[in-house]
Amino acid sequence: MCTENILFSEQHDLDSRSKVLIVTSRFPGGGGSRIDAFVKYLPGFQVDPLVLSSDEDYDPCEEPIGRKSYSPQFKLFRASSIGRTYFTKRFMYRGPESNHYRLLNILSFPERFILVPDDMVRWIPHGIKVAKEIIRREGVNVILTTSPPESTHLIGLFVNRSLGIPWIVDFQDLWTEKVLHYRPATPIHDWWIKRLESKIFKAADRVIANTPENAERHKHRFALTSNCVEVIPNGFDRDDLYPDVDQSLPDVFCIGYMGALDKHDFPWRITLDAVNKLGNEFGRANVKFIFCGYPSRQVIKYMHDRELTDIIDIRGLHPHSEAMRIISSTDIRILLLYETPYSSSIVPQKLYNYLIMKGPILAVAPEVGMTASIIAETRMGIVVPPRRGSDAIYQELKRYYLAWQRGDLNVHPNQNAIDQYSYCANTQRLAKLIQGVVKCDS
């Protein structure tokens, strides 16, 4: 239960309530997402959320899960997409050295040439129409658009211009600076998208960044004042975690990983090699890598080629709460992050979920940046930079294994530092931002 939620509600009457239309490409987000949590907690802070989402990739099975958490008055609207894309998403998550990269580059080119700024622009025309109808009919005070994908912000841009409604943009990641996934079809596309990016940042009434580093990048690139940019990090919802979780394999050292293993540039190879070394030294029956998520074909092939299948337990895709239960039962958790010029600004969502689980985090990530800073501040684990290779990761795994063997695998978390990433607390900050924007507009 969110205690801040109750205290805030008791101090305000119903006349002070605001309505926000949240526009996101996918809703619900499968559980554990930023927007799911905002929708859950905003009503307790005198803000009533309405959500507009694309009907693409909509899974009816996910909605009952979310409905249990949302207010009975919550309204969800959907807009339709034009057609489908077949190659762009596959291409965007492959590195130059991955299988079929060149082929997918060619096959995705027509889609990337036409669909600008990204392939999800297909739902934007109908989304703009539906958003205008919702705002007029429901008496919405402010619109909030969230990305990725960044084409979602076009709905806010057009609605803000035509209706004059206050507009908040929520950037959960970098856009054109994230060169690993930013792949414009031509230099002309690059120029146009960056021009659009600047226009969106400067037209919005407020900009939300998910890390202080990203906020500074936005302010510097687009000449924004500090008053225009708010930092609201991603976080965790304690309701997603079972209160008491027993170790699933008490006589086996369990290493957990939650999420996808599909990005070519992630340091998953050296991590799996380190797990393999650990199993070879201490007995393969005594070590298990429990993976809850989606593995790419390339990862599966790597596991078979290196004969790792006996030590890796692939649990597959699960609802968020079940994935949290599975991974929280492991002894330590693995976090992976690539090394790029902008990695210092990135914090994987799974890090926040790991913060409320018992046991340490081993992050294979840059040793300087926001991810390393959070791990150090919360005292929840250690960071090994990928450039140090599999042997350095193995040495840390060995240290944790020996501590587990002695019954001394403990961390001493900084609870105050962890609590600041609660979605409940972050939603209160969002509610204050929304009400401030509404007050300025009235």
Side-chain angles (χ1 to χ4, degrees):
M1 178 176 289
C2 179
T3 55
E4 300 100 324
N5 188 336
I6 297 173
L7 293 172
F8 193 91
S9 297
E10 291 174 346
Q11 295 168 3
H12 292 74
D13 56 40
L14 293 176
D15 295 334
S16 65
R17 301 189 75 84
S18 302
K19 280 190 178 182
V20 57
L21 175 62
I22 299 176
V23 183
T24 178
S25 67
R26 184 183 179 189
F27 188 87
S33 82
R34 178 186 185 94
I35 299 303
D36 291 352
F38 287 163
V39 170
K40 174 181 176 180
Y41 288 120
L42 274 173
F45 297 116
Q46 307 304 115
V47 177
D48 296 320
L50 302 88
V51 171
L52 169 62
S53 182
S54 165
D55 64 358
E56 190 166 320
D57 299 326
Y58 167 57
D59 184 356
C61 297
E62 292 177 349
E63 198 162 327
I65 299 172
R67 289 285 178 182
K68 295 177 182 178
S69 303
Y70 307 146
S71 163
Q73 290 75 39
F74 169 67
K75 294 182 180 180
L76 171 62
F77 305 88
R78 297 197 180 275
S80 57
S81 296
I82 302 170
R84 288 267 177 173
T85 57
Y86 297 94
F87 304 108
T88 299
K89 281 188 172 67
R90 300 178 199 177
F91 169 66
M92 297 301 281
Y93 285 95
R94 277 177 166 82
E97 298 177 3
S98 61
N99 296 335
H100 311 305
Y101 176 84
R102 292 182 179 179
L103 177 62
L104 285 170
N105 188 5
I106 296 169
L107 293 175
S108 67
F109 182 81
E111 296 174 350
R112 291 183 291 119
F113 190 90
I114 297 169
L115 302 174
V116 183
D118 55 61
D119 65 300
M120 282 304 295
V121 74
R122 295 170 292 108
W123 82 287
I124 301 306
H126 191 218
I128 293 171
K129 178 183 177 183
V130 175
K132 289 180 178 180
E133 293 172 355
I134 296 169
I135 290 167
R136 292 190 180 107
R137 185 173 65 247
E138 301 291 338
V140 172
N141 304 106
V142 61
I143 183 170
L144 183 151
T145 56
T146 185
S147 63
E150 287 73 23
S151 57
T152 306
H153 298 306
L154 291 174
I155 295 177
L157 181 64
F158 281 94
V159 170
N160 172 261
R161 284 181 173 179
S162 59
L163 301 182
I165 187 171
W167 174 33
I168 299 171
V169 292
D170 174 34
F171 279 90
Q172 300 184 47
D173 211 338
L174 298 172
W175 187 352
T176 61
E177 289 181 276
K178 194 172 183 180
V179 294
L180 198 64
H181 300 304
Y182 174 63
R183 298 172 182 176
T186 70
I188 294 176
H189 286 74
D190 179 45
W191 171 83
W192 191 89
I193 293 171
K194 287 178 177 175
R195 188 167 176 265
L196 175 64
E197 179 184 31
S198 177
K199 190 176 295 185
I200 287 172
F201 271 96
K202 293 177 180 179
D205 292 275
R206 293 290 188 277
V207 174
I208 299 175
N210 67 327
T211 68
E213 284 79 3
N214 282 349
E216 291 304 316
R217 286 174 180 266
H218 300 332
K219 286 188 283 188
H220 176 73
R221 284 190 65 204
F222 306 109
L224 303 176
T225 65
S226 297
N227 292 336
C228 292
V229 183
E230 180 80 14
V231 177
I232 300 180
N234 288 327
F236 58 81
D237 187 347
R238 292 192 182 277
D239 290 349
D240 292 338
L241 190 64
Y242 288 75
D244 295 304
V245 179
D246 295 329
Q247 296 296 312
S248 55
L249 299 170
D251 298 324
V252 178
F253 181 62
C254 295
I255 304 163
Y257 180 82
M258 182 170 68
L261 273 181
D262 59 349
K263 295 181 178 65
H264 178 77
D265 298 281
F266 263 42
W268 52 265
R269 293 174 184 81
I270 56 174
T271 302
L272 295 183
D273 288 346
V275 173
N276 190 37
K277 289 180 185 178
L278 189 73
N280 288 338
E281 177 164 350
F282 294 101
R284 301 182 74 80
N286 298 323
V287 177
K288 189 69 70 175
F289 184 88
I290 297 178
F291 168 41
C292 195
Y294 166 77
S296 68
R297 292 180 182 177
Q298 192 175 20
V299 172
I300 296 294
K301 184 178 183 302
Y302 192 86
M303 292 178 183
H304 284 281
D305 290 347
R306 297 299 179 99
E307 298 182 348
L308 304 175
T309 52
D310 63 321
I311 208 170
I312 297 176
D313 181 3
I314 301 176
R315 301 291 180 93
L317 296 171
H318 290 273
H320 177 69
S321 58
E322 178 64 12
M324 290 282 285
R325 185 193 67 79
I326 292 170
I327 299 305
S328 63
S329 71
T330 60
D331 298 293
I332 71 167
R333 261 71 59 185
I334 294 288
L335 181 78
L336 304 178
L337 181 61
Y338 38 63
E339 288 184 298
T340 68
Y342 53 84
S343 293
S344 63
S345 302
I346 297 175
V347 182
Q349 171 60 43
K350 62 178 66 66
L351 172 57
Y352 299 105
N353 293 325
Y354 289 173
L355 292 179
I356 56 173
M357 299 180 185
K358 295 179 181 179
I361 299 166
L362 172 55
V364 184
E367 57 190 340
V368 176
M370 197 63 199
T371 291
S373 175
I374 290 174
I375 291 174
E377 179 189 23
T378 58
R379 302 198 296 263
M380 283 295 292
I382 60 167
V383 176
V384 177
R387 57 182 168 76
R388 291 180 56 193
S390 64
D391 190 60
I393 302 168
Y394 159 72
Q395 293 298 334
E396 294 301 335
L397 285 173
K398 179 179 178 179
R399 186 172 65 84
Y400 280 136
Y401 179 89
L402 294 174
W404 168 81
Q405 212 172 38
R406 297 190 305 266
D408 190 30
L409 185 62
N410 299 311
V411 290
H412 304 283
N414 180 344
Q415 200 58 54
N416 289 333
I418 293 173
D419 288 344
Q420 68 181 315
Y421 299 109
S422 160
Y423 267 137
C424 179
N426 290 341
T427 305
Q428 183 173 11
R429 295 168 66 181
L430 175 62
K432 290 180 178 178
L433 175 62
I434 291 170
Q435 290 171 340
V437 170
V438 171
K439 186 176 180 180
C440 288
D441 187 62
S442 61

